[in-house]
mmCIF file of all heavy atoms in Angstrom:
data_model
loop_
_atom_site.group_PDB
_atom_site.id
_atom_site.type_symbol
_atom_site.label_atom_id
_atom_site.label_comp_id
_atom_site.label_asym_id
_atom_site.label_seq_id
_atom_site.Cartn_x
_atom_site.Cartn_y
_atom_site.Cartn_z
ATOM 1 N N ASN A 710 5.760 17.123 16.044
ATOM 2 C CA ASN A 710 5.377 15.835 16.609
ATOM 3 C C ASN A 710 5.834 15.740 18.054
ATOM 4 O O ASN A 710 6.962 16.136 18.390
ATOM 5 C CB ASN A 710 5.994 14.690 15.793
ATOM 6 C CG ASN A 710 5.408 14.582 14.402
ATOM 7 O OD1 ASN A 710 4.423 13.903 14.186
ATOM 8 N ND2 ASN A 710 6.016 15.286 13.446
ATOM 9 N N TYR A 711 4.946 15.182 18.898
ATOM 10 C CA TYR A 711 5.213 15.058 20.328
ATOM 11 C C TYR A 711 4.930 13.634 20.793
ATOM 12 O O TYR A 711 4.090 12.939 20.228
ATOM 13 C CB TYR A 711 4.316 16.019 21.133
ATOM 14 C CG TYR A 711 4.573 17.477 20.882
ATOM 15 C CD1 TYR A 711 3.984 18.131 19.794
ATOM 16 C CD2 TYR A 711 5.396 18.221 21.726
ATOM 17 C CE1 TYR A 711 4.208 19.470 19.557
ATOM 18 C CE2 TYR A 711 5.618 19.565 21.497
ATOM 19 C CZ TYR A 711 5.025 20.188 20.412
ATOM 20 O OH TYR A 711 5.263 21.523 20.189
ATOM 21 N N PHE A 712 5.635 13.233 21.858
ATOM 22 C CA PHE A 712 5.260 12.016 22.557
ATOM 23 C C PHE A 712 3.952 12.264 23.294
ATOM 24 O O PHE A 712 3.745 13.329 23.883
ATOM 25 C CB PHE A 712 6.351 11.606 23.552
ATOM 26 C CG PHE A 712 7.633 11.155 22.904
ATOM 27 C CD1 PHE A 712 8.713 12.019 22.803
ATOM 28 C CD2 PHE A 712 7.746 9.872 22.390
ATOM 29 C CE1 PHE A 712 9.899 11.611 22.211
ATOM 30 C CE2 PHE A 712 8.925 9.455 21.785
ATOM 31 C CZ PHE A 712 10.002 10.326 21.696
ATOM 32 N N VAL A 713 3.073 11.263 23.286
ATOM 33 C CA VAL A 713 1.750 11.432 23.868
ATOM 34 C C VAL A 713 1.801 11.513 25.381
ATOM 35 O O VAL A 713 1.200 12.402 26.002
ATOM 36 C CB VAL A 713 0.815 10.285 23.416
ATOM 37 C CG1 VAL A 713 -0.465 10.280 24.243
ATOM 38 C CG2 VAL A 713 0.481 10.415 21.942
ATOM 39 N N ASN A 714 2.509 10.584 26.005
ATOM 40 C CA ASN A 714 2.463 10.482 27.464
ATOM 41 C C ASN A 714 3.141 11.653 28.162
ATOM 42 O O ASN A 714 2.622 12.226 29.118
ATOM 43 C CB ASN A 714 3.090 9.166 27.916
ATOM 44 C CG ASN A 714 2.303 7.961 27.448
ATOM 45 O OD1 ASN A 714 1.075 8.011 27.350
ATOM 46 N ND2 ASN A 714 2.994 6.880 27.121
ATOM 47 N N SER A 715 4.293 12.029 27.661
ATOM 48 C CA SER A 715 5.058 13.084 28.340
ATOM 49 C C SER A 715 4.868 14.449 27.707
ATOM 50 O O SER A 715 5.302 15.463 28.283
ATOM 51 C CB SER A 715 6.549 12.727 28.315
ATOM 52 O OG SER A 715 7.011 12.619 26.971
ATOM 53 N N PHE A 716 4.265 14.498 26.527
ATOM 54 C CA PHE A 716 4.109 15.709 25.731
ATOM 55 C C PHE A 716 5.459 16.403 25.496
ATOM 56 O O PHE A 716 5.568 17.617 25.437
ATOM 57 C CB PHE A 716 3.118 16.682 26.382
ATOM 58 C CG PHE A 716 2.575 17.698 25.399
ATOM 59 C CD1 PHE A 716 1.752 17.304 24.364
ATOM 60 C CD2 PHE A 716 2.912 19.035 25.507
ATOM 61 C CE1 PHE A 716 1.271 18.233 23.448
ATOM 62 C CE2 PHE A 716 2.431 19.976 24.598
ATOM 63 C CZ PHE A 716 1.610 19.563 23.571
ATOM 64 N N GLU A 717 6.499 15.599 25.372
ATOM 65 C CA GLU A 717 7.816 16.124 25.010
ATOM 66 C C GLU A 717 7.950 16.102 23.490
ATOM 67 O O GLU A 717 7.448 15.191 22.825
ATOM 68 C CB GLU A 717 8.911 15.295 25.656
ATOM 69 C CG GLU A 717 8.942 15.382 27.168
ATOM 70 C CD GLU A 717 10.041 14.531 27.760
ATOM 71 O OE1 GLU A 717 10.694 13.783 26.985
ATOM 72 O OE2 GLU A 717 10.246 14.597 28.981
ATOM 73 N N PRO A 718 8.623 17.095 22.927
ATOM 74 C CA PRO A 718 8.734 17.148 21.464
ATOM 75 C C PRO A 718 9.597 16.015 20.915
ATOM 76 O O PRO A 718 10.585 15.610 21.525
ATOM 77 C CB PRO A 718 9.375 18.514 21.210
ATOM 78 C CG PRO A 718 10.084 18.847 22.476
ATOM 79 C CD PRO A 718 9.288 18.243 23.585
ATOM 80 N N LYS A 719 9.179 15.505 19.732
ATOM 81 C CA LYS A 719 9.938 14.483 19.019
ATOM 82 C C LYS A 719 10.734 15.080 17.857
ATOM 83 O O LYS A 719 11.941 14.914 17.740
ATOM 84 C CB LYS A 719 8.985 13.436 18.417
ATOM 85 C CG LYS A 719 8.476 12.355 19.296
ATOM 86 C CD LYS A 719 7.662 11.389 18.413
ATOM 87 C CE LYS A 719 7.072 10.253 19.198
ATOM 88 N NZ LYS A 719 6.308 9.331 18.320
ATOM 89 N N TYR A 720 9.966 15.756 17.001
ATOM 90 C CA TYR A 720 10.522 16.200 15.722
ATOM 91 C C TYR A 720 9.742 17.423 15.264
ATOM 92 O O TYR A 720 8.526 17.488 15.395
ATOM 93 C CB TYR A 720 10.399 15.067 14.691
ATOM 94 C CG TYR A 720 10.712 15.464 13.271
ATOM 95 C CD1 TYR A 720 12.021 15.467 12.804
ATOM 96 C CD2 TYR A 720 9.693 15.838 12.401
ATOM 97 C CE1 TYR A 720 12.300 15.830 11.498
ATOM 98 C CE2 TYR A 720 9.961 16.200 11.091
ATOM 99 C CZ TYR A 720 11.270 16.196 10.649
ATOM 100 O OH TYR A 720 11.554 16.563 9.359
ATOM 101 N N ARG A 721 10.461 18.392 14.756
ATOM 102 C CA ARG A 721 9.820 19.625 14.292
ATOM 103 C C ARG A 721 10.516 20.081 13.020
ATOM 104 O O ARG A 721 11.750 20.008 12.900
ATOM 105 C CB ARG A 721 9.913 20.694 15.379
ATOM 106 C CG ARG A 721 9.188 21.996 15.068
ATOM 107 C CD ARG A 721 9.260 22.919 16.277
ATOM 108 N NE ARG A 721 8.581 22.333 17.429
ATOM 109 C CZ ARG A 721 8.939 22.552 18.692
ATOM 110 N NH1 ARG A 721 9.962 23.331 18.971
ATOM 111 N NH2 ARG A 721 8.260 21.982 19.671
ATOM 112 N N SER A 722 9.736 20.571 12.057
ATOM 113 C CA SER A 722 10.345 21.030 10.806
ATOM 114 C C SER A 722 9.469 22.085 10.163
ATOM 115 O O SER A 722 8.267 22.168 10.412
ATOM 116 C CB SER A 722 10.541 19.863 9.828
ATOM 117 O OG SER A 722 9.296 19.406 9.338
ATOM 118 N N ILE A 723 10.101 22.867 9.317
ATOM 119 C CA ILE A 723 9.382 23.802 8.456
ATOM 120 C C ILE A 723 10.000 23.731 7.065
ATOM 121 O O ILE A 723 11.225 23.728 6.912
ATOM 122 C CB ILE A 723 9.407 25.243 9.024
ATOM 123 C CG1 ILE A 723 8.514 26.145 8.164
ATOM 124 C CG2 ILE A 723 10.823 25.776 9.152
ATOM 125 C CD1 ILE A 723 8.211 27.486 8.800
ATOM 126 N N ASN A 724 9.138 23.589 6.077
ATOM 127 C CA ASN A 724 9.559 23.467 4.683
ATOM 128 C C ASN A 724 9.058 24.653 3.884
ATOM 129 O O ASN A 724 7.928 25.108 4.076
ATOM 130 C CB ASN A 724 8.974 22.201 4.031
ATOM 131 C CG ASN A 724 9.688 20.943 4.439
ATOM 132 O OD1 ASN A 724 9.819 20.667 5.612
ATOM 133 N ND2 ASN A 724 10.123 20.171 3.458
ATOM 134 N N LEU A 725 9.891 25.098 2.961
ATOM 135 C CA LEU A 725 9.480 26.038 1.925
ATOM 136 C C LEU A 725 9.769 25.354 0.600
ATOM 137 O O LEU A 725 10.926 25.085 0.266
ATOM 138 C CB LEU A 725 10.245 27.351 2.032
ATOM 139 C CG LEU A 725 9.927 28.397 0.952
ATOM 140 C CD1 LEU A 725 8.486 28.848 1.054
ATOM 141 C CD2 LEU A 725 10.858 29.587 1.059
ATOM 142 N N LYS A 726 8.721 25.025 -0.132
ATOM 143 C CA LYS A 726 8.884 24.264 -1.368
ATOM 144 C C LYS A 726 8.252 25.027 -2.520
ATOM 145 O O LYS A 726 7.114 25.485 -2.427
ATOM 146 C CB LYS A 726 8.250 22.878 -1.232
ATOM 147 C CG LYS A 726 8.425 22.002 -2.467
ATOM 148 C CD LYS A 726 7.866 20.610 -2.242
ATOM 149 C CE LYS A 726 8.018 19.752 -3.497
ATOM 150 N NZ LYS A 726 7.492 18.387 -3.309
#
Side-chain angles (χ1 to χ4, degrees):
N710 292 271
Y711 295 84
F712 292 100
V713 168
N714 295 326
S715 60
F716 200 67
E717 294 180 354
K719 279 185 181 181
Y720 170 85
R721 185 175 297 149
S722 70
I723 186 167
N724 283 54
L725 178 64
K726 182 176 179 180

